[in-house]
Amino acid sequence: MASSSLRSLVHDDSRYQRSFQLFLERSSEHQCMRDFINNVLPDILASIGDGKSHLNVIGVGSGAGEIDLEMLSKLHLKYPGATVDNEVVEPSKQQLHNYKVLVGQTPGLDYINFTWNCMTSSEFEQNWKEKKMTKKADFIHMIQMLYYVKDPGATISFFQSLLDKNGKLLIILVSGDSGWGKLMRTYRDDLCHTEVSQCVTTGDIKSFLESRGVRYQNYVLPSQMDITECFSEGDEKGELLLDFLTQVQDFSKTASAELKAGVLNLLRDPDCCVESDGKVIFNNNLEVIVINQLT
């Protein structure tokens, strides 16, 4: 059980957004996603259109929309004559605002109708069921968001149930074999809060899918993150990065000395990082899982 003195970072949206932004600056996460979107995603999208003139897309936990718009542009290249209904599900008002600003600044999006849902995925699911919606989706993506739900398996099952024939559900999470995976396995009981699944990795998701006999495709996305500042006592950016790595608000100030020392030692473990030219480079590998409509 996580120490009661440790508060989940998700409870402080302002600090979460600052630590997330720093994480993006210090990591190759978005670059490895872009490589995947450019080189692999077009083939995944090739089978979803099936001669349709209209496509339904749902983005779950879309953030500020940069990755969403890149995926939508690939969809448009595959199906240039199709219009798109894009349901955006994002609980952060700030991120949703940033997404809307980005859409306003991006030319050539006339083919997309955006529906903005400032809510969590579970609120979206509840809404959908209450309205008895029958609309089916051709493409659903859940990028780096299953950490913030109570039951990742149930969340996947719900969104999989919304897929149309030939539809695809795309999930991106940290790989179970990454440094982050090792951190979460080692300190799950100390860091992970019971109300959400902060310690989930693709290893857990693959086990869940296999237990249900659900077939999937998977792709590893090599990614790394410069965490050198985490080892400078009192460094403000280092503290923000530690918050993001542990998903604990003010980890450096609220964790016990023993827990803090253990986490810092593990972050430097050769299984988790490479040390080179005075920098500590953390293994932040991601993994993509692609699921089809349940048959």
Side-chain angles (χ1 to χ4, degrees):
M1 184 75 181
S3 167
S4 58
S5 64
L6 300 182
R7 274 178 61 78
S8 172
L9 184 59
V10 295
H11 295 314
D12 183 344
D13 190 55
S14 169
R15 189 168 178 85
Y16 177 88
Q17 298 305 337
R18 281 192 295 138
S19 65
F20 177 56
Q21 208 47 52
L22 184 61
F23 160 71
L24 290 180
E25 289 169 18
R26 294 289 183 273
S27 80
S28 59
E29 168 146 329
H30 271 188
Q31 188 52 54
C32 78
M33 286 186 195
R34 287 189 175 100
D35 292 343
F36 171 81
I37 289 166
N38 288 326
N39 301 321
V40 183
L41 185 65
D43 290 339
I44 293 169
L45 297 176
S47 60
I48 71 168
D50 198 24
K52 292 179 177 178
S53 61
H54 183 78
L55 297 168
N56 291 319
V57 176
I58 304 175
V60 190
S62 289
E66 304 104 315
I67 299 296
D68 282 33
L69 292 190
E70 292 188 28
M71 290 192 290
L72 288 165
S73 76
K74 295 300 176 193
L75 189 64
H76 188 49
L77 283 173
K78 279 284 176 195
Y79 308 102
T83 55
V84 173
D85 251 346
N86 185 41
E87 294 265 4
V88 179
V89 183
E90 170 54 52
S92 167
K93 287 180 183 174
Q94 184 58 52
Q95 290 286 63
L96 208 59
H97 169 75
N98 294 345
Y99 195 152
K100 290 177 183 178
V101 169
L102 182 64
V103 167
Q105 294 170 344
T106 306
L109 300 180
D110 301 350
Y111 66 97
I112 308 173
N113 173 50
F114 289 89
T115 303
W116 307 103
N117 302 279
C118 188
M119 57 183 74
T120 64
S121 63
S122 56
E123 288 166 344
F124 179 81
E125 178 178 345
Q126 191 179 347
N127 245 5
W128 195 273
K129 288 174 175 173
E130 283 172 2
K131 291 178 179 175
K132 296 185 167 57
M133 298 286 284
T134 55
K135 185 167 91 168
K136 293 293 183 182
D138 301 291
F139 180 49
I140 302 173
H141 53 85
M142 311 165 78
I143 296 178
Q144 292 286 51
M145 59 71 60
L146 283 171
Y147 317 108
Y148 308 113
V149 302
K150 286 182 180 173
D151 187 338
T155 302
I156 291 169
S157 296
F158 167 70
F159 284 100
Q160 187 185 18
S161 76
L162 303 188
L163 290 175
D164 204 355
K165 184 187 174 199
N166 299 323
K168 302 280 185 186
L169 170 58
L170 182 143
I171 296 163
I172 301 182
L173 280 177
V174 292
S175 164
D177 297 327
S178 67
W180 220 321
K182 183 174 175 66
L183 175 66
M184 292 312 170
R185 279 194 304 278
T186 306
Y187 288 105
R188 187 182 291 260
D189 291 341
D190 299 291
L191 300 176
C192 292
H193 294 248
T194 52
E195 73 270 20
V196 290
S197 306
Q198 286 168 301
C199 294
V200 71
T201 71
T202 53
D204 302 305
I205 301 306
K206 290 189 286 191
S207 296
F208 167 75
L209 294 173
E210 286 159 11
S211 73
R212 292 174 63 237
V214 176
R215 292 167 64 183
Y216 60 85
Q217 298 162 278
N218 62 305
Y219 311 84
V220 174
L221 310 185
S223 177
Q224 56 190 32
M225 171 185 178
D226 183 349
I227 60 168
T228 313
E229 290 152 309
C230 294
F231 301 94
S232 298
E233 186 73 36
D235 185 292
E236 186 189 353
K237 289 185 175 176
E239 289 183 356
L240 275 174
L241 287 173
L242 270 175
D243 281 13
F244 197 78
L245 283 163
T246 60
Q247 290 291 300
V248 170
Q249 184 182 328
D250 293 314
F251 175 78
S252 293
K253 296 183 175 73
T254 57
S256 68
E258 184 185 12
L259 177 59
K260 188 177 170 185
V263 165
L264 287 171
N265 281 337
L266 188 139
L267 291 178
R268 276 199 123 120
D269 188 293
D271 284 347
C272 294
C273 78
V274 174
E275 297 200 40
S276 167
D277 299 327
K279 291 188 180 298
V280 184
I281 307 299
F282 188 64
N283 175 335
N284 182 50
N285 285 0
L286 306 179
E287 191 169 10
V288 179
I289 297 175
V290 181
I291 307 169
N292 298 329
Q293 181 195 38
L294 196 57
T295 51

